[in-house]
Structure formats: structure tokens, C-alpha cells
Amino acid sequence: MEIQRSTPYGILIILITVLFSCSYYQHKEDAETIRTDSLLSIYIDSIAVNPLKVVSILRDNQRNVSDSLNYYYLQQTISRCYYFGNRIDSAFLLTDEILRYIEKQPEMNNRLRKLSGDTYNSRGVFFQEMNQWDSAIVCLHNASEALLQANVQNRLPAIHTYINMADSYQHKGDYGWAGFYYRKALFLSDSIGMGDKMNYSIYSGLAKLYLELENYPLSDSYFKKAEQYWDKGNEYEQYYFANSRGNYYYVTKEYDDALIWFQRANTIVADFSQPIYRSIVEGNIGEIYLLKEQPDSARLYLERSVASFGQTVLQQPGTKFYIDGLFASLALQENNLQEAARLLEQPYDTLHTDLLYQYYHHKRLEELYRKKKDYAKAYNYRKKADLCGDSIRNMKTENSIRETDFRYRQDTILLKKNISITRAEAKAYQWKWIAWIVGLGFIVVVLLMVCVVFYFRRKKELRYKQQKETIIQLRMAVVRNRIAPHYIFNVLNSVMPIFRRYEELSEPVNLLIDVLRGDLLSSEQLAVSLEKEISFVRKYLKLKMLGDSNSIRVEWCISADVSLDTLIPSMFIQIPVENAVKYAFNADCQTPIIFIGIEVKDEELHIKIKDNGIGYNFGAHVGDERSTGQGLKILYRTTELLNTHNIRKMKFSIQNQQSSLREDHGTCVSLIVPLNYNFAL
């Protein structure tokens, strides 16, 4: 069989086929990723309004997703739907599952980092919902770090993370860091041209921040900036703005304007599946009616607020304290002093109660005891209210100073960046010369690489030539070994009619002809089927032991799961068996046995030829007239040659089993061929 060298055109066709296959699978993966991202972008604005419907759609799509990463992207959005559907525990469980999946990945790519950032961001929002601000900040910092490392063009998740971080710090009362992250979000939004989409939320947050710092002119200016983007915000962002604007007018005591914005917010949240938003807004409306001294309307909205909150939320100390305070104010307006006293004189935890709520609590107690004409207690609660008021003012002053300091530092950083840009432009011309030098260096490196490629190509050609010469030598050796059998085969065919007259000679001669024919065919083929190799070996053994069938016992053990169509190198069973028959047994061997075992293990064909003879001694039969010395060389060189064309290697080995134990001796020849092994050269 002649081995032909692959032409450049053949190599090109193989490369194109491989690249096409890779690009097909890559295209399939990319198409699924694009489809997943498109689906999420379509339903992102519907999560807060109709979360259960979005969950149903995403679950249906999860069943058709083959890539695990896309599956967990959908899972992350489902966790947000559970949050908006008031299933916070389920939302936490899903984020736990996603983070465990990310931790198990051997390496992080940009898409995994983005998933990590989005998941930590959602988890931070869940902690915000539970008023666990420190845990929320930790998660949001993790989200920020992951999104910073993810080299993605879409910077919207990073902006959302900064906004959520600012909101967490604001709820903690750390207004300096709150302002820092709001401005960081604003800078990033403006720098990537996302102002129309993101500035609505950022300006609303800054307006609320300065409202709490009692900087009303600055707060009002940010509210007016945010209101310009009203039509560009989703329903949740519109609710947040309307409720915050109502709080602004509440604080500035413009109650009619506050009522307008709270009613507007109430209209927006009417379709929200999460009742807590409706509870908050209706509680605010009830408080405005209290301040407008309209107790009937106040009671209506306060009772609706309580019904929307539900018993689970009302059991939380902060919420209960807030609602009880509003009903106490209502009782004071209605001169129901007994009900007011019942609500106000309940014990509460000062450590977990907002200082502003404590201030209002003491003011209501002052009013209660003034109406009861217990002026001593009224005066006592007035002093407590003044102390709370002083603490609130001091805290706001301190945070206002801190926020101003942060703002100044951010402005200074921006100024330094502008100076750096100007200096960089001044040095641009100097870098042109460096660019020319680098370009020339690059050309030199490319030329060197071309030379290296040609060198290795030439080296490969020489190696190929050496392999071809080795194959020719092996073929010549085989031809020399087969000349005599070929001649005998032709002679026997010509005299076969004479032998047929003698019945006792017919079978041995036919058997000899079959063996010679198989021997010649095997020598001309690089690989044969397992069935042909076994058939040839059986005929050889039958011919060899024709005179004395009990001289050597042959045991075959072929597993049922072995396919006889499996290809193996030709003569790889024949030569070891032939060597065992010739050299393995001496006169001292009482029960000579040759064992031939064939089985499939771990996607590999395992062949073992064992005997209980004198053992293997390399070079012991060099002077033996029966030995040509080429059989094992052919097997070893054939194995080496074929392995150069396969990733999974074939293994051929000979082991001497001789040991100190009398029954443990002989030779074991082992051949392991991976299934689907390539025998083409």
C-alpha cells in the first residue's frame, strides 16, 4: 500500500472543513446568546408590572436553552421577578444557586463576570428590601468589582449598581458616600451617552438626597431636571419620582402639591403586583390629609394602607411604629385621647427606630399630654423632641459637609483628568515617532516569524522523507520474508489437482494454501478487521497443530460487546501467536497454554496474548534459523508510524511474566487500540 503525501490543496480543504465546523457551532452558540439577551431586553420593563407572566415566559425559554450560561442568565432575571412578586425567599434561593454555579467554573470570562455582577446587584436590592443596608452594600460592592472586570460595552448594569449603592448609603444616613455614587453614576452615564435612559433615576436620587439634607433649592433643581425625562422612565422610575416629589412638597409644607404627586404615584402603582408600594403611597396620602385636618379622608387612606401592608409587614418594628404614629395623630385630631394614649404609650426599640420617627413620636406625646392638661409631661416630651431635632440637624449638617467634600473631590478629579488629557495631546507628536519605530520593529518580527515557519516546515518535510524511507525499508523486509511463501503458494495451486487424489492430504494442503493466502494479504494491508485477523490465526494454529492437536492448548476469550468489524493493525495478533508457538515452550513445559483475550474498556479495544512458557528474552533467538528478526520490529515501527497521525495513541507492549513463583511465568503481549482509530496515512 503506497503512502501519498498531502498536497497544499488537501491541507487547505481540511483546514476549511475544520474552521467551518467550529464556526457552525460557534454561530449556534452565539445565536442562542443573542436570542437570550434579546428576550431579556424585551421583558426587562415588564418585571415590576407583571412578574408572574415574565417568569412563565422565561421558564418556557429555559427548556430550549443548551448553554448553561444562558440558562443562568434567565434564572437571574427570574429571581428579580420573584422579588417584584413579593417572593423574597425564592429570589434569594435562586441567587444562591447562580453564585454556586459561577464559583464552580474553572475560569472567569467576561460574560460570567457580568452574570456575577448582575446577580450580586439583585441580591443587594433584596437586602435593601429587608432594610439590611450593610449586607446590601457588601453585595453591591461585589457587583461593582465584577462589572468593572467584565470588559463589556454595555455599562448600564454598572450605572444601576452605583445608583443602588447610593440609595443604600442614603438609607444608612451616610450622605457623603450617597452623593459620591450618584455623581459617579451620572458621570458614567454622560460619558457613554446614556443620559436619556439613566439620568431620570440619577437626578431623582440626587433630588431626594438634597431633600434629606434640607438643601431645598438644590433638591428642587434636581427634581426639575429629572422631570424633563418623565416620559423616558419606566413605571417603577415614575413611581419613585412622583413619591419623592410628593415628599419634597410635604417637607416644604406645600400640601396641595404634595397631594397631587402622591395621587399620581398611587395611580402608577395600582397595577403593581407588589402591594407594598401601594401601602407606602396610601400611607403618605393619609398623612397629608392629617396635615390638612381632614380626618375622614385620612382614616380611609390609612386603613387602606394597613390592608395593603399585610400582617407580616406590620409586625416589623419600624413599620408598626410608623403606622401606629399616624393613627395616633388621627386619634388626637378626633380628640380620642384614650386611643391616642394606647398607641403612643406602647414600648418601642429606640436602637432600631428612625430618629425622625422618634422626633414625631415625642411631638405627638407632647400634644397628648397638653390636651390632658398634664403640662409637666408635655414639657418633658417637648425637651425629648428638641433633643431629637438637634441630633437630626447635627447629623444633617455633618453629612452635608461630608457630601460637599466628596463633591469637591470629584470635581478636582475631573479637573486633573482634563489637565492630563491636555498634556497627552501635547505629547501626541512625540508618540508618532515611537509609532514608526514600533511599526518597523513589528515588520522585522513578522519577517523573523516567517523564517521560523519556513524552517519548521523544512524540518517537517525532512522528517516525512525519513518516515517514508522507513516504510519502504519495512516493505522490503516484508517482501523478502514473503518471497518463499509466495512461491510455495503458486506451486501448491498448480499441483493441487494431484493432491486431491489423496483424501488424507487434501485438508492439510487446503489449510496451508489458506494460511499462505492470508499471510500474503495481511502483509499488503496496514489494517484488517478483527474478524479476518482472528480467522487467519485460527487457521494458522489448526495447521500448526495438525499432527498433534493436544501439544498446545489455545484459549480464546472474546467479550460479547466486541465488534468483529473493528479495525486493528494487520499481523498484530498473528506475529505474537506465531512467536509463542515457535519459541515459548521447551521440553520441560507440561501443559503449554496460549491465551488470547479481546475486550472493550473505556472506549478502547484491549487485546492480550499470554503464554505460560519460558518468558521473553530480547535477542535470544537472533541465531535461530526459524527467526527472521523482523516480526517485532514491524509491529513497533507500525505502532510508532500510525501514532503520529492520531491524537489518542495506540499502545503495544511485551512483558516478561517470569517471577519467583513457579506458576507465574511466560510472556504477555498487549495491544490497546482506541475505538475509531485512524489507520489512513
Side-chain angles (χ1 to χ4, degrees), residues 395-460:
M395 189 184 300
K396 288 185 177 179
T397 301
E398 180 183 340
N399 282 306
S400 181
I401 293 170
R402 190 182 302 172
E403 193 280 330
T404 303
D405 177 58
F406 268 114
R407 193 173 2 147
Y408 168 76
R409 275 191 271 169
Q410 281 182 303
D411 292 341
T412 305
I413 290 169
L414 290 175
L415 181 60
K416 288 180 179 178
K417 285 183 178 179
N418 290 333
I419 293 171
S420 298
I421 292 169
T422 304
R423 289 176 179 175
E425 289 175 351
K427 292 182 179 179
Y429 292 104
Q430 298 176 9
W431 283 101
K432 285 185 179 180
W433 289 103
I434 296 174
W436 278 103
I437 294 170
V438 171
L440 290 172
F442 177 75
I443 292 171
V444 171
V445 170
V446 170
L447 289 174
L448 288 173
M449 290 178 66
V450 170
C451 293
V452 169
V453 169
F454 275 108
Y455 168 75
F456 281 107
R457 184 176 178 182
R458 180 61 180 166
K459 189 175 180 181
K460 188 175 181 181

Side-chain angles (χ1 to χ4, degrees), residues 192-203:
I192 62 175
M194 296 300 297
D196 287 348
K197 187 170 182 65
M198 296 307 304
N199 285 0
Y200 185 48
S201 298
I202 299 169
Y203 284 139

